[in-house]
PDB file of all heavy atoms in Angstrom:
ATOM      1  N   ALA A 292       0.825  -1.212   0.000  1.00  0.00           N
ATOM      2  CA  ALA A 292       0.000   0.000   0.000  1.00  0.00           C
ATOM      3  C   ALA A 292       0.858   1.260   0.000  1.00  0.00           C
ATOM      4  O   ALA A 292       0.454   2.299  -0.534  1.00  0.00           O
ATOM      5  CB  ALA A 292      -0.931  -0.002   1.202  1.00  0.00           C
ATOM      6  N   LYS A 293       2.035   1.165   0.591  1.00  0.00           N
ATOM      7  CA  LYS A 293       2.936   2.321   0.652  1.00  0.00           C
ATOM      8  C   LYS A 293       4.054   2.247  -0.393  1.00  0.00           C
ATOM      9  O   LYS A 293       4.927   3.110  -0.413  1.00  0.00           O
ATOM     10  CB  LYS A 293       3.560   2.424   2.044  1.00  0.00           C
ATOM     11  CG  LYS A 293       2.563   2.700   3.150  1.00  0.00           C
ATOM     12  CD  LYS A 293       3.266   2.841   4.503  1.00  0.00           C
ATOM     13  CE  LYS A 293       2.266   3.157   5.609  1.00  0.00           C
ATOM     14  NZ  LYS A 293       2.940   3.273   6.931  1.00  0.00           N
ATOM     15  N   SER A 294       4.024   1.209  -1.231  1.00  0.00           N
ATOM     16  CA  SER A 294       5.083   1.018  -2.235  1.00  0.00           C
ATOM     17  C   SER A 294       6.459   1.093  -1.588  1.00  0.00           C
ATOM     18  O   SER A 294       7.365   1.781  -2.074  1.00  0.00           O
ATOM     19  CB  SER A 294       4.978   2.075  -3.342  1.00  0.00           C
ATOM     20  OG  SER A 294       3.796   1.941  -4.084  1.00  0.00           O
ATOM     21  N   THR A 295       6.619   0.397  -0.483  1.00  0.00           N
ATOM     22  CA  THR A 295       7.855   0.500   0.295  1.00  0.00           C
ATOM     23  C   THR A 295       8.368  -0.884   0.662  1.00  0.00           C
ATOM     24  O   THR A 295       7.589  -1.766   1.021  1.00  0.00           O
ATOM     25  CB  THR A 295       7.617   1.321   1.570  1.00  0.00           C
ATOM     26  OG1 THR A 295       7.123   2.624   1.209  1.00  0.00           O
ATOM     27  CG2 THR A 295       8.908   1.491   2.357  1.00  0.00           C
ATOM     28  N   VAL A 296       9.689  -0.997   0.581  1.00  0.00           N
ATOM     29  CA  VAL A 296      10.387  -2.194   1.032  1.00  0.00           C
ATOM     30  C   VAL A 296      11.250  -1.795   2.231  1.00  0.00           C
ATOM     31  O   VAL A 296      11.846  -0.719   2.240  1.00  0.00           O
ATOM     32  CB  VAL A 296      11.275  -2.769  -0.094  1.00  0.00           C
ATOM     33  CG1 VAL A 296      12.041  -3.984   0.393  1.00  0.00           C
ATOM     34  CG2 VAL A 296      10.420  -3.122  -1.311  1.00  0.00           C
ATOM     35  N   TYR A 297      11.287  -2.657   3.216  1.00  0.00           N
ATOM     36  CA  TYR A 297      12.031  -2.370   4.441  1.00  0.00           C
ATOM     37  C   TYR A 297      13.133  -3.394   4.668  1.00  0.00           C
ATOM     38  O   TYR A 297      13.052  -4.528   4.201  1.00  0.00           O
ATOM     39  CB  TYR A 297      11.099  -2.391   5.653  1.00  0.00           C
ATOM     40  CG  TYR A 297       9.960  -1.416   5.593  1.00  0.00           C
ATOM     41  CD1 TYR A 297       8.684  -1.819   5.207  1.00  0.00           C
ATOM     42  CD2 TYR A 297      10.144  -0.077   5.925  1.00  0.00           C
ATOM     43  CE1 TYR A 297       7.631  -0.927   5.145  1.00  0.00           C
ATOM     44  CE2 TYR A 297       9.095   0.829   5.873  1.00  0.00           C
ATOM     45  CZ  TYR A 297       7.839   0.395   5.479  1.00  0.00           C
ATOM     46  OH  TYR A 297       6.802   1.295   5.421  1.00  0.00           O
ATOM     47  N   LEU A 298      14.135  -2.955   5.440  1.00  0.00           N
ATOM     48  CA  LEU A 298      15.140  -3.884   5.945  1.00  0.00           C
ATOM     49  C   LEU A 298      15.373  -3.529   7.411  1.00  0.00           C
ATOM     50  O   LEU A 298      15.938  -2.474   7.713  1.00  0.00           O
ATOM     51  CB  LEU A 298      16.446  -3.793   5.163  1.00  0.00           C
ATOM     52  CG  LEU A 298      17.507  -4.809   5.594  1.00  0.00           C
ATOM     53  CD1 LEU A 298      17.061  -6.232   5.222  1.00  0.00           C
ATOM     54  CD2 LEU A 298      18.858  -4.502   4.952  1.00  0.00           C
ATOM     55  N   GLN A 299      14.877  -4.382   8.289  1.00  0.00           N
ATOM     56  CA  GLN A 299      15.118  -4.210   9.722  1.00  0.00           C
ATOM     57  C   GLN A 299      16.428  -4.883  10.059  1.00  0.00           C
ATOM     58  O   GLN A 299      16.604  -6.072   9.797  1.00  0.00           O
ATOM     59  CB  GLN A 299      13.973  -4.823  10.525  1.00  0.00           C
ATOM     60  CG  GLN A 299      14.154  -4.733  12.028  1.00  0.00           C
ATOM     61  CD  GLN A 299      14.104  -3.315  12.543  1.00  0.00           C
ATOM     62  OE1 GLN A 299      13.263  -2.518  12.131  1.00  0.00           O
ATOM     63  NE2 GLN A 299      15.028  -2.972  13.439  1.00  0.00           N
ATOM     64  N   MET A 300      17.334  -4.118  10.645  1.00  0.00           N
ATOM     65  CA  MET A 300      18.666  -4.626  10.965  1.00  0.00           C
ATOM     66  C   MET A 300      18.880  -4.536  12.467  1.00  0.00           C
ATOM     67  O   MET A 300      18.879  -3.438  13.027  1.00  0.00           O
ATOM     68  CB  MET A 300      19.735  -3.823  10.225  1.00  0.00           C
ATOM     69  CG  MET A 300      19.510  -3.744   8.715  1.00  0.00           C
ATOM     70  SD  MET A 300      20.870  -2.966   7.839  1.00  0.00           S
ATOM     71  CE  MET A 300      20.752  -1.297   8.472  1.00  0.00           C
ATOM     72  N   ASN A 301      19.049  -5.668  13.102  1.00  0.00           N
ATOM     73  CA  ASN A 301      19.288  -5.730  14.538  1.00  0.00           C
ATOM     74  C   ASN A 301      20.659  -6.303  14.831  1.00  0.00           C
ATOM     75  O   ASN A 301      21.277  -6.915  13.961  1.00  0.00           O
ATOM     76  CB  ASN A 301      18.216  -6.595  15.207  1.00  0.00           C
ATOM     77  CG  ASN A 301      16.810  -6.052  15.018  1.00  0.00           C
ATOM     78  OD1 ASN A 301      16.592  -4.845  14.953  1.00  0.00           O
ATOM     79  ND2 ASN A 301      15.829  -6.947  14.936  1.00  0.00           N
ATOM     80  N   SER A 302      21.115  -6.102  16.040  1.00  0.00           N
ATOM     81  CA  SER A 302      22.417  -6.638  16.471  1.00  0.00           C
ATOM     82  C   SER A 302      23.500  -6.315  15.448  1.00  0.00           C
ATOM     83  O   SER A 302      24.265  -7.198  15.031  1.00  0.00           O
ATOM     84  CB  SER A 302      22.313  -8.155  16.667  1.00  0.00           C
ATOM     85  OG  SER A 302      21.313  -8.475  17.613  1.00  0.00           O
ATOM     86  N   LEU A 303      23.579  -5.073  15.073  1.00  0.00           N
ATOM     87  CA  LEU A 303      24.515  -4.675  14.031  1.00  0.00           C
ATOM     88  C   LEU A 303      25.957  -4.878  14.466  1.00  0.00           C
ATOM     89  O   LEU A 303      26.312  -4.682  15.639  1.00  0.00           O
ATOM     90  CB  LEU A 303      24.267  -3.227  13.634  1.00  0.00           C
ATOM     91  CG  LEU A 303      23.044  -3.038  12.730  1.00  0.00           C
ATOM     92  CD1 LEU A 303      22.558  -1.595  12.748  1.00  0.00           C
ATOM     93  CD2 LEU A 303      23.364  -3.472  11.317  1.00  0.00           C
ATOM     94  N   LYS A 304      26.770  -5.258  13.479  1.00  0.00           N
ATOM     95  CA  LYS A 304      28.185  -5.512  13.708  1.00  0.00           C
ATOM     96  C   LYS A 304      29.017  -4.536  12.877  1.00  0.00           C
ATOM     97  O   LYS A 304      28.527  -3.960  11.906  1.00  0.00           O
ATOM     98  CB  LYS A 304      28.521  -6.954  13.302  1.00  0.00           C
ATOM     99  CG  LYS A 304      27.706  -8.020  14.011  1.00  0.00           C
ATOM    100  CD  LYS A 304      28.066  -9.401  13.486  1.00  0.00           C
ATOM    101  CE  LYS A 304      27.257 -10.487  14.193  1.00  0.00           C
ATOM    102  NZ  LYS A 304      27.606 -11.846  13.698  1.00  0.00           N
ATOM    103  N   LEU A 305      30.278  -4.407  13.262  1.00  0.00           N
ATOM    104  CA  LEU A 305      31.172  -3.515  12.521  1.00  0.00           C
ATOM    105  C   LEU A 305      31.197  -3.881  11.038  1.00  0.00           C
ATOM    106  O   LEU A 305      31.235  -2.994  10.168  1.00  0.00           O
ATOM    107  CB  LEU A 305      32.583  -3.574  13.096  1.00  0.00           C
ATOM    108  CG  LEU A 305      32.770  -3.101  14.540  1.00  0.00           C
ATOM    109  CD1 LEU A 305      34.218  -3.263  14.963  1.00  0.00           C
ATOM    110  CD2 LEU A 305      32.330  -1.660  14.707  1.00  0.00           C
ATOM    111  N   GLU A 306      31.158  -5.164  10.745  1.00  0.00           N
ATOM    112  CA  GLU A 306      31.255  -5.623   9.359  1.00  0.00           C
ATOM    113  C   GLU A 306      29.986  -5.390   8.551  1.00  0.00           C
ATOM    114  O   GLU A 306      29.953  -5.674   7.347  1.00  0.00           O
ATOM    115  CB  GLU A 306      31.633  -7.108   9.301  1.00  0.00           C
ATOM    116  CG  GLU A 306      30.745  -8.015  10.130  1.00  0.00           C
ATOM    117  CD  GLU A 306      31.339  -8.304  11.511  1.00  0.00           C
ATOM    118  OE1 GLU A 306      31.903  -7.380  12.142  1.00  0.00           O
ATOM    119  OE2 GLU A 306      31.219  -9.470  11.959  1.00  0.00           O
ATOM    120  N   ASP A 307      28.950  -4.869   9.181  1.00  0.00           N
ATOM    121  CA  ASP A 307      27.747  -4.484   8.440  1.00  0.00           C
ATOM    122  C   ASP A 307      27.885  -3.101   7.812  1.00  0.00           C
ATOM    123  O   ASP A 307      27.003  -2.668   7.058  1.00  0.00           O
ATOM    124  CB  ASP A 307      26.525  -4.508   9.358  1.00  0.00           C
ATOM    125  CG  ASP A 307      26.184  -5.897   9.855  1.00  0.00           C
ATOM    126  OD1 ASP A 307      26.272  -6.853   9.058  1.00  0.00           O
ATOM    127  OD2 ASP A 307      25.816  -6.014  11.043  1.00  0.00           O
ATOM    128  N   THR A 308      28.967  -2.409   8.120  1.00  0.00           N
ATOM    129  CA  THR A 308      29.192  -1.085   7.544  1.00  0.00           C
ATOM    130  C   THR A 308      29.303  -1.175   6.031  1.00  0.00           C
ATOM    131  O   THR A 308      30.119  -1.945   5.500  1.00  0.00           O
ATOM    132  CB  THR A 308      30.469  -0.460   8.125  1.00  0.00           C
ATOM    133  OG1 THR A 308      30.277  -0.232   9.529  1.00  0.00           O
ATOM    134  CG2 THR A 308      30.802   0.850   7.435  1.00  0.00           C
ATOM    135  N   ALA A 309      28.470  -0.405   5.329  1.00  0.00           N
ATOM    136  CA  ALA A 309      28.433  -0.459   3.860  1.00  0.00           C
ATOM    137  C   ALA A 309      27.411   0.553   3.352  1.00  0.00           C
ATOM    138  O   ALA A 309      26.645   1.126   4.141  1.00  0.00           O
ATOM    139  CB  ALA A 309      28.055  -1.852   3.386  1.00  0.00           C
ATOM    140  N   VAL A 310      27.402   0.728   2.039  1.00  0.00           N
ATOM    141  CA  VAL A 310      26.298   1.425   1.392  1.00  0.00           C
ATOM    142  C   VAL A 310      25.258   0.360   1.022  1.00  0.00           C
ATOM    143  O   VAL A 310      25.601  -0.654   0.411  1.00  0.00           O
ATOM    144  CB  VAL A 310      26.751   2.181   0.132  1.00  0.00           C
ATOM    145  CG1 VAL A 310      25.554   2.848  -0.543  1.00  0.00           C
ATOM    146  CG2 VAL A 310      27.804   3.232   0.491  1.00  0.00           C
ATOM    147  N   TYR A 311      24.028   0.602   1.430  1.00  0.00           N
ATOM    148  CA  TYR A 311      22.947  -0.350   1.196  1.00  0.00           C
ATOM    149  C   TYR A 311      22.060   0.144   0.056  1.00  0.00           C
ATOM    150  O   TYR A 311      21.646   1.310   0.036  1.00  0.00           O
ATOM    151  CB  TYR A 311      22.122  -0.537   2.462  1.00  0.00           C
ATOM    152  CG  TYR A 311      22.815  -1.401   3.494  1.00  0.00           C
ATOM    153  CD1 TYR A 311      23.925  -0.916   4.193  1.00  0.00           C
ATOM    154  CD2 TYR A 311      22.391  -2.695   3.750  1.00  0.00           C
ATOM    155  CE1 TYR A 311      24.588  -1.718   5.114  1.00  0.00           C
ATOM    156  CE2 TYR A 311      23.037  -3.502   4.673  1.00  0.00           C
ATOM    157  CZ  TYR A 311      24.132  -3.009   5.346  1.00  0.00           C
ATOM    158  OH  TYR A 311      24.783  -3.801   6.268  1.00  0.00           O
ATOM    159  N   TYR A 312      21.775  -0.760  -0.868  1.00  0.00           N
ATOM    160  CA  TYR A 312      20.985  -0.438  -2.055  1.00  0.00           C
ATOM    161  C   TYR A 312      19.730  -1.310  -2.089  1.00  0.00           C
ATOM    162  O   TYR A 312      19.801  -2.514  -1.820  1.00  0.00           O
ATOM    163  CB  TYR A 312      21.768  -0.697  -3.333  1.00  0.00           C
ATOM    164  CG  TYR A 312      23.034   0.094  -3.473  1.00  0.00           C
ATOM    165  CD1 TYR A 312      24.237  -0.379  -2.947  1.00  0.00           C
ATOM    166  CD2 TYR A 312      23.043   1.315  -4.144  1.00  0.00           C
ATOM    167  CE1 TYR A 312      25.411   0.338  -3.081  1.00  0.00           C
ATOM    168  CE2 TYR A 312      24.216   2.042  -4.290  1.00  0.00           C
ATOM    169  CZ  TYR A 312      25.386   1.547  -3.752  1.00  0.00           C
ATOM    170  OH  TYR A 312      26.542   2.269  -3.891  1.00  0.00           O
ATOM    171  N   CYS A 313      18.624  -0.713  -2.458  1.00  0.00           N
ATOM    172  CA  CYS A 313      17.432  -1.530  -2.664  1.00  0.00           C
ATOM    173  C   CYS A 313      17.244  -1.766  -4.151  1.00  0.00           C
ATOM    174  O   CYS A 313      17.695  -0.990  -4.994  1.00  0.00           O
ATOM    175  CB  CYS A 313      16.187  -0.890  -2.060  1.00  0.00           C
ATOM    176  SG  CYS A 313      15.563   0.554  -2.922  1.00  0.00           S
ATOM    177  N   ARG A 314      16.564  -2.855  -4.430  1.00  0.00           N
ATOM    178  CA  ARG A 314      16.255  -3.249  -5.799  1.00  0.00           C
ATOM    179  C   ARG A 314      14.811  -3.722  -5.808  1.00  0.00           C
ATOM    180  O   ARG A 314      14.435  -4.552  -4.983  1.00  0.00           O
ATOM    181  CB  ARG A 314      17.169  -4.373  -6.251  1.00  0.00           C
ATOM    182  CG  ARG A 314      17.025  -4.796  -7.709  1.00  0.00           C
ATOM    183  CD  ARG A 314      17.977  -5.941  -8.014  1.00  0.00           C
ATOM    184  NE  ARG A 314      18.014  -6.262  -9.438  1.00  0.00           N
ATOM    185  CZ  ARG A 314      18.718  -7.280  -9.942  1.00  0.00           C
ATOM    186  NH1 ARG A 314      19.434  -8.064  -9.141  1.00  0.00           N
ATOM    187  NH2 ARG A 314      18.711  -7.496 -11.226  1.00  0.00           N
ATOM    188  N   VAL A 315      14.025  -3.182  -6.728  1.00  0.00           N
ATOM    189  CA  VAL A 315      12.609  -3.511  -6.801  1.00  0.00           C
ATOM    190  C   VAL A 315      12.275  -3.993  -8.204  1.00  0.00           C
ATOM    191  O   VAL A 315      12.647  -3.357  -9.190  1.00  0.00           O
ATOM    192  CB  VAL A 315      11.744  -2.284  -6.440  1.00  0.00           C
ATOM    193  CG1 VAL A 315      10.263  -2.597  -6.646  1.00  0.00           C
ATOM    194  CG2 VAL A 315      12.002  -1.837  -5.018  1.00  0.00           C
ATOM    195  N   PHE A 316      11.579  -5.102  -8.271  1.00  0.00           N
ATOM    196  CA  PHE A 316      11.059  -5.606  -9.535  1.00  0.00           C
ATOM    197  C   PHE A 316       9.583  -5.232  -9.577  1.00  0.00           C
ATOM    198  O   PHE A 316       8.783  -5.724  -8.775  1.00  0.00           O
ATOM    199  CB  PHE A 316      11.237  -7.112  -9.642  1.00  0.00           C
ATOM    200  CG  PHE A 316      12.674  -7.543  -9.674  1.00  0.00           C
ATOM    201  CD1 PHE A 316      13.338  -7.856  -8.499  1.00  0.00           C
ATOM    202  CD2 PHE A 316      13.370  -7.610 -10.872  1.00  0.00           C
ATOM    203  CE1 PHE A 316      14.676  -8.253  -8.524  1.00  0.00           C
ATOM    204  CE2 PHE A 316      14.698  -8.005 -10.906  1.00  0.00           C
ATOM    205  CZ  PHE A 316      15.352  -8.319  -9.721  1.00  0.00           C
ATOM    206  N   SER A 317       9.266  -4.352 -10.513  1.00  0.00           N
ATOM    207  CA  SER A 317       7.899  -3.848 -10.646  1.00  0.00           C
ATOM    208  C   SER A 317       7.450  -4.048 -12.076  1.00  0.00           C
ATOM    209  O   SER A 317       7.930  -3.362 -12.980  1.00  0.00           O
ATOM    210  CB  SER A 317       7.860  -2.366 -10.265  1.00  0.00           C
ATOM    211  OG  SER A 317       6.555  -1.842 -10.414  1.00  0.00           O
ATOM    212  N   GLY A 318       6.550  -4.980 -12.294  1.00  0.00           N
ATOM    213  CA  GLY A 318       6.179  -5.302 -13.664  1.00  0.00           C
ATOM    214  C   GLY A 318       7.398  -5.816 -14.411  1.00  0.00           C
ATOM    215  O   GLY A 318       8.057  -6.757 -13.973  1.00  0.00           O
ATOM    216  N   PHE A 319       7.733  -5.171 -15.522  1.00  0.00           N
ATOM    217  CA  PHE A 319       8.921  -5.541 -16.287  1.00  0.00           C
ATOM    218  C   PHE A 319      10.129  -4.674 -15.935  1.00  0.00           C
ATOM    219  O   PHE A 319      11.172  -4.779 -16.572  1.00  0.00           O
ATOM    220  CB  PHE A 319       8.626  -5.435 -17.786  1.00  0.00           C
ATOM    221  CG  PHE A 319       7.589  -6.405 -18.258  1.00  0.00           C
ATOM    222  CD1 PHE A 319       6.296  -5.996 -18.543  1.00  0.00           C
ATOM    223  CD2 PHE A 319       7.898  -7.762 -18.389  1.00  0.00           C
ATOM    224  CE1 PHE A 319       5.333  -6.896 -18.963  1.00  0.00           C
ATOM    225  CE2 PHE A 319       6.947  -8.661 -18.804  1.00  0.00           C
ATOM    226  CZ  PHE A 319       5.660  -8.233 -19.092  1.00  0.00           C
ATOM    227  N   GLN A 320       9.965  -3.832 -14.922  1.00  0.00           N
ATOM    228  CA  GLN A 320      11.038  -2.917 -14.556  1.00  0.00           C
ATOM    229  C   GLN A 320      11.916  -3.491 -13.445  1.00  0.00           C
ATOM    230  O   GLN A 320      11.423  -4.112 -12.512  1.00  0.00           O
ATOM    231  CB  GLN A 320      10.453  -1.582 -14.081  1.00  0.00           C
ATOM    232  CG  GLN A 320       9.657  -0.836 -15.143  1.00  0.00           C
ATOM    233  CD  GLN A 320       9.171   0.493 -14.629  1.00  0.00           C
ATOM    234  OE1 GLN A 320       9.846   1.504 -14.777  1.00  0.00           O
ATOM    235  NE2 GLN A 320       8.025   0.480 -13.996  1.00  0.00           N
ATOM    236  N   ASN A 321      13.189  -3.244 -13.555  1.00  0.00           N
ATOM    237  CA  ASN A 321      14.196  -3.641 -12.575  1.00  0.00           C
ATOM    238  C   ASN A 321      14.804  -2.342 -12.054  1.00  0.00           C
ATOM    239  O   ASN A 321      15.613  -1.717 -12.735  1.00  0.00           O
ATOM    240  CB  ASN A 321      15.232  -4.528 -13.253  1.00  0.00           C
ATOM    241  CG  ASN A 321      16.366  -4.934 -12.337  1.00  0.00           C
ATOM    242  OD1 ASN A 321      16.348  -4.657 -11.138  1.00  0.00           O
ATOM    243  ND2 ASN A 321      17.360  -5.579 -12.896  1.00  0.00           N
ATOM    244  N   LEU A 322      14.373  -1.922 -10.884  1.00  0.00           N
ATOM    245  CA  LEU A 322      14.684  -0.578 -10.386  1.00  0.00           C
ATOM    246  C   LEU A 322      15.682  -0.626  -9.235  1.00  0.00           C
ATOM    247  O   LEU A 322      15.515  -1.406  -8.299  1.00  0.00           O
ATOM    248  CB  LEU A 322      13.394   0.112  -9.910  1.00  0.00           C
ATOM    249  CG  LEU A 322      12.248   0.131 -10.933  1.00  0.00           C
ATOM    250  CD1 LEU A 322      10.966   0.649 -10.276  1.00  0.00           C
ATOM    251  CD2 LEU A 322      12.622   0.970 -12.138  1.00  0.00           C
ATOM    252  N   TRP A 323      16.681   0.244  -9.292  1.00  0.00           N
ATOM    253  CA  TRP A 323      17.691   0.355  -8.234  1.00  0.00           C
ATOM    254  C   TRP A 323      17.607   1.718  -7.571  1.00  0.00           C
ATOM    255  O   TRP A 323      17.416   2.740  -8.243  1.00  0.00           O
ATOM    256  CB  TRP A 323      19.089   0.190  -8.822  1.00  0.00           C
ATOM    257  CG  TRP A 323      19.461  -1.208  -9.179  1.00  0.00           C
ATOM    258  CD1 TRP A 323      19.245  -1.841 -10.371  1.00  0.00           C
ATOM    259  CD2 TRP A 323      20.154  -2.157  -8.341  1.00  0.00           C
ATOM    260  NE1 TRP A 323      19.754  -3.127 -10.327  1.00  0.00           N
ATOM    261  CE2 TRP A 323      20.316  -3.334  -9.100  1.00  0.00           C
ATOM    262  CE3 TRP A 323      20.649  -2.129  -7.043  1.00  0.00           C
ATOM    263  CZ2 TRP A 323      20.947  -4.471  -8.587  1.00  0.00           C
ATOM    264  CZ3 TRP A 323      21.284  -3.254  -6.534  1.00  0.00           C
ATOM    265  CH2 TRP A 323      21.420  -4.410  -7.300  1.00  0.00           C
ATOM    266  N   GLY A 324      17.805   1.727  -6.274  1.00  0.00           N
ATOM    267  CA  GLY A 324      17.931   2.987  -5.550  1.00  0.00           C
ATOM    268  C   GLY A 324      19.368   3.488  -5.618  1.00  0.00           C
ATOM    269  O   GLY A 324      20.265   2.819  -6.135  1.00  0.00           O
ATOM    270  N   GLN A 325      19.567   4.689  -5.043  1.00  0.00           N
ATOM    271  CA  GLN A 325      20.885   5.328  -5.129  1.00  0.00           C
ATOM    272  C   GLN A 325      21.805   4.937  -3.962  1.00  0.00           C
ATOM    273  O   GLN A 325      22.987   5.247  -3.986  1.00  0.00           O
ATOM    274  CB  GLN A 325      20.728   6.845  -5.188  1.00  0.00           C
ATOM    275  CG  GLN A 325      20.554   7.531  -3.829  1.00  0.00           C
ATOM    276  CD  GLN A 325      19.234   7.233  -3.158  1.00  0.00           C
ATOM    277  OE1 GLN A 325      18.303   6.712  -3.775  1.00  0.00           O
ATOM    278  NE2 GLN A 325      19.128   7.541  -1.868  1.00  0.00           N
ATOM    279  N   GLY A 326      21.245   4.290  -2.964  1.00  0.00           N
ATOM    280  CA  GLY A 326      22.052   3.829  -1.838  1.00  0.00           C
ATOM    281  C   GLY A 326      21.944   4.716  -0.612  1.00  0.00           C
ATOM    282  O   GLY A 326      21.715   5.923  -0.713  1.00  0.00           O
TER     283      GLY A 326
END
């Protein structure tokens, strides 16, 4: 309903440090976020 994808991250570790990107498949579209 909100056209939103989530990632809940718990117990974060030092090695989780990164740029995180989402990817959405919508119809025939393959969409990437900017990070």
Side-chain angles (χ1 to χ4, degrees):
K293 296 182 178 179
S294 295
T295 302
V296 178
Y297 301 99
L298 184 68
Q299 178 67 43
M300 306 187 294
N301 299 327
S302 302
L303 283 161
K304 303 177 180 180
L305 297 178
E306 53 264 40
D307 295 320
T308 295
V310 178
Y311 284 71
Y312 300 88
C313 72
R314 185 181 188 184
V315 175
F316 295 91
S317 179
F319 295 104
Q320 297 183 91
N321 177 6
L322 307 172
W323 285 89
Q325 83 291 346

